[in-house]
Amino acid sequence: MSRYIFVTGGVVSSLGKGVSAASLGALLQSRGYSVHVRKFDPYLNVDPGTMSPLQHGEVYVTNDGFETDLDLGYYERFLGVHLSRNDSCSGGRIYWEVLNAERRGDYLGATVQMIPHVSNKIKEHISIPTNTDFVICEIGGTVGDIEQKIFLESIRQYANDVGRRNVMFVHLALAPYLEQSGELKTKPTQMSVRRLLENGIQADMLFVRSPRMLTNEERAKIGMFCNLPAKNVITSINVDNIYKIPLVYDEQDVFNIMAQHFGLPEAAGDMSKFKKIEHYLNNDLPTCTIGVVGKYFDVADAYKSLNEALFHAAVQNNVHLKIKKIDAEKFTPEECSDVDGILIPGGFGARGVEGKISAVKYARENNVPFMGICLGMQTAVIEFMRNVVGDENANSTEFAKNCTPVINIMNDCDSENMGGTLRLGAYPCVIKSGTLAEQIYGTTNISERHRHRYEVDIKYKDELEKNGMIISGMSPDGKLPEIVEIPSHKFFIAGQFHPEFQSNPYDGHPMFNAFVSAAKRK
Ligand code: GLN
């Protein structure tokens, strides 16, 4: 049976619960334990796929095509685990399943109630087998939220069901610093732990987010109010880069606190991969500037995985990264004059598309390293059709009705769910040998994740290739172009998929690594 660690948060949202949970996983892995992660979000949306990135940050896509919250991205990147639709579960989905069961008559006439029917459904999701030593479950929201209550009740019951020593409750709270009095205040943390207790949950370890390290007196004081030894009160200090957090926790003996709780031997771990990143961050290195021509810049997390993948590639290439955000709607070529590479990310809707097409033109004509992702590949093909092949009417049917439809709807996925016509999740791609794509990936068979509706229409292949843009990656049935490139250009490649979802801080991702390397050479 797996042991469980439940991570909750209190006082305010956005304290970095996801990163803390992922860091716990990293500490366990560094001692040789296998780890799985699961996220529960109390809100009532059935899944995050239809939530606006303007509110919720990017929509992350798993291999099995589930549209999830971006926290799953942290977990996959940090821990190298593969998550699926079993690992992202919202309140809406729980209620949906309970009410459907009620309509089917599954409850045989019983009165359907929050306890036990909803709580049992939550516990059913918690206990989907994973075959790992540990399962870390993050409970979204903030202690005290109405929607969250039933989730707290369910994890309380779960600990009672499987045995208190098989479950650890970790709580993340805040100690604000009051500048006027020069004091770090511990009361919000105390209150938050008390709210957990009202729900029958005694925290076993606290992460206290704070701008400076807590003193031993402060730890003892918090511990006294919260029924914990001082050593179980950990400072979650503000850092400039999330990959420092596992080291921050390791230095405070967090693994051994977990080991003691679960009755496992204490152990030292191999943290070298995090130390390597820390070393990179502290090093004086040249800076490489990547211009990202996009339109969702108002939201900090809308390009989360993309920014991460660029950072990972910078680590691999030993350069510091500067991302220049270029607003596609106001694009002028001058804005690209100081960038070392141009990247066009994914996007939906006509707003900003013409600016993106102009950015492709600039990159192509000036031999600036170029990488396109999803809509970025579609705009690259449109630009090439217009300005090289010479069909100025070329466009995507997403943006224009009467056009040369070089980008069009080709697939016939079923549309059972809203947004169901999207091609979602991992698909295989066959790479043509002798191409840049093959050189980058070092293989001719790859799998990448998708989230889009439109495709490059294969019937334009000959016209494109005759003029110098080749299709170097294709779906195995030969129907859907997956990668295009321009061999005469210094570095010009674009994929229909989202490689950023498979990048990680330790190795990066081949396509991003090669792109940043080309930008570095420039
Ligand atoms: N809007 C485009 C499509 O649906 C591209 C989507 C994307 O970039 N993710 O195909």
Side-chain angles (χ1 to χ4, degrees):
M1 198 202 97
S2 305
R3 296 176 167 88
Y4 275 75
I5 300 175
F6 291 106
V7 181
T8 55
V11 186
V12 292
S13 60
S14 307
L15 288 180
K17 238 184 319 171
V19 173
S20 283
S23 300
L24 290 177
L27 294 184
L28 291 164
Q29 284 183 337
S30 75
R31 272 80 176 175
Y33 292 103
S34 58
V35 172
H36 195 80
V37 195
R38 214 155 256 171
K39 168 111 201 253
F40 290 86
D41 273 310
Y43 52 67
L44 296 185
N45 304 63
V46 173
D47 68 51
T50 55
M51 290 169 88
S52 163
L54 298 175
Q55 268 189 35
H56 207 68
E58 92 182 349
V59 176
Y60 188 77
V61 182
T62 57
N63 271 337
D64 68 338
F66 199 57
E67 296 177 287
T68 76
D69 163 288
L70 53 81
D71 278 321
L72 267 76
Y74 281 122
Y75 296 138
E76 291 204 338
R77 285 190 281 272
F78 250 90
L79 302 173
V81 292
H82 285 304
L83 303 180
S84 74
R85 63 188 62 241
N86 286 339
D87 305 313
S88 166
C89 183
S90 67
R93 179 161 159 202
I94 296 286
Y95 294 121
W96 185 260
E97 288 177 12
V98 168
L99 293 176
N100 278 313
E102 187 274 333
R103 289 292 84 186
R104 278 196 309 268
D106 292 3
Y107 299 119
L108 305 173
T111 306
V112 179
Q113 295 182 293
M114 294 298 282
I115 306 168
H117 300 99
V118 175
S119 53
N120 281 351
K121 183 57 79 182
I122 293 172
K123 289 196 285 181
E124 215 176 89
H125 275 266
I126 290 172
S127 52
I128 295 172
T130 61
N131 251 326
T132 52
D133 300 321
F134 285 89
V135 180
I136 300 173
C137 291
E138 178 190 345
I139 309 296
T142 307
V143 170
D145 290 351
I146 289 181
E147 292 99 335
Q148 202 201 43
K149 242 182 147 53
I150 188 65
F151 285 87
L152 295 182
E153 167 60 16
S154 305
I155 62 176
R156 182 196 68 76
Q157 288 182 21
Y158 192 79
N160 196 47
D161 294 349
V162 301
R164 188 62 181 82
R165 286 292 138 187
N166 293 318
V167 166
M168 187 170 185
F169 293 115
V170 177
H171 188 62
L172 184 65
L174 175 72
Y177 180 73
L178 292 192
E179 239 162 74
Q180 280 79 359
S181 58
E183 276 180 300
L184 201 69
K185 298 309 244 180
T186 63
K187 188 83 82 192
T189 295
Q190 296 171 34
M191 301 300 277
S192 182
V193 172
R194 188 160 305 162
R195 291 212 94 150
L196 263 185
L197 269 174
E198 282 166 17
N199 293 280
I201 294 172
Q202 166 65 52
D204 298 309
M205 175 161 58
L206 295 180
F207 288 142
V208 183
R209 182 76 185 262
S210 149
R212 66 155 168 79
M213 294 304 284
L214 299 175
T215 63
N216 284 339
E217 292 72 39
E218 285 161 343
R219 293 169 79 184
K221 180 177 169 192
I222 293 172
M224 189 267 288
F225 279 107
C226 302
N227 304 319
L228 285 173
K231 69 172 175 49
N232 291 31
V233 180
I234 307 298
T235 311
S236 186
I237 195 161
N238 297 343
V239 288
D240 54 5
N241 186 285
I242 57 170
Y243 297 106
K244 290 182 178 172
I245 291 289
L247 295 172
V248 168
Y249 290 165
D250 199 44
E251 278 154 22
Q252 296 178 75
D253 225 20
V254 166
F255 173 80
N256 288 339
I257 294 169
M258 294 191 280
Q260 281 164 16
H261 180 88
F262 289 112
L264 297 169
E266 298 192 0
D270 175 10
M271 301 299 286
S272 52
K273 55 185 189 180
F274 293 101
K275 292 209 173 108
K276 220 176 99 194
I277 299 174
E278 189 182 44
H279 182 74
Y280 156 85
L281 290 165
N282 296 338
N283 255 359
D284 207 13
L285 295 170
T287 298
C288 185
T289 306
I290 302 295
V292 174
V293 186
K295 64 174 177 182
Y296 303 119
F297 293 124
D298 303 341
V299 205
D301 282 339
Y303 292 117
K304 187 76 215 164
S305 295
L306 177 79
N307 294 341
E308 280 281 323
L310 284 171
F311 169 71
H312 304 159
V315 175
Q316 292 301 312
N317 281 288
N318 253 306
V319 284
H320 282 317
L321 172 72
K322 185 171 164 221
I323 294 180
K324 180 171 179 182
K325 301 169 183 174
I326 300 175
D327 183 347
E329 282 185 282
K330 302 186 194 120
F331 179 82
T332 60
E334 291 74 55
E335 281 184 280
C336 289
S337 59
D338 59 347
V339 303
D340 304 310
I342 294 176
L343 190 150
I344 303 192
F348 289 83
R351 189 165 65 82
V353 162
E354 290 302 320
K356 290 183 180 183
I357 292 170
S358 306
V360 178
K361 181 166 190 277
Y362 179 90
R364 184 180 55 75
E365 289 179 343
N366 295 284
N367 231 344
V368 180
F370 173 85
M371 176 168 167
I373 295 175
C374 208
L375 180 62
M377 160 158 156
Q378 298 173 359
T379 49
V381 172
I382 294 168
E383 193 278 330
F384 199 85
M385 277 297 286
R386 285 188 191 173
N387 300 323
V388 181
V389 178
D391 184 344
E392 54 186 52
N393 207 23
N395 212 331
S396 163
T397 53
E398 182 179 1
F399 314 124
K401 290 237 152 55
N402 299 314
C403 63
T404 305
V406 62
I407 314 293
N408 209 341
I409 290 183
M410 304 315 261
N411 60 10
D412 42 21
C413 299
D414 66 278
S415 53
E416 190 190 307
N417 308 305
M418 201 178 143
T421 54
L422 287 175
R423 184 146 75 101
L424 281 170
Y427 284 86
C429 162
V430 179
I431 291 176
K432 193 167 158 185
S433 46
T435 60
L436 174 63
E438 188 198 24
Q439 202 184 313
I440 287 175
Y441 279 96
T443 170
T444 51
N445 285 293
I446 61 165
S447 167
E448 292 279 10
R449 293 185 204 169
H450 292 247
R451 182 172 185 256
H452 61 103
R453 194 168 277 125
Y454 296 81
E455 310 277 354
V456 175
D457 190 338
I458 189 74
K459 77 173 185 241
Y460 297 94
K461 180 173 188 272
D462 289 345
E463 230 167 330
L464 291 168
E465 295 200 330
K466 239 182 12 226
N467 287 280
M469 173 179 267
I470 64 160
I471 295 175
S472 56
M474 194 86 101
S475 62
D477 64 4
K479 286 185 181 158
L480 304 173
E482 293 277 7
I483 308 177
V484 299
E485 57 191 72
I486 300 177
S488 62
H489 189 280
K490 206 192 281 174
F491 186 96
F492 190 108
I493 195 160
Q496 186 56 73
F497 43 76
H498 290 269
E500 68 271 29
F501 291 144
Q502 294 203 94
S503 180
N504 72 67
Y506 322 115
D507 312 305
H509 179 285
M511 200 186 266
F512 281 94
N513 292 352
F515 170 58
V516 171
S517 164
K520 179 182 172 182
R521 284 197 299 278
K522 177 177 180 287

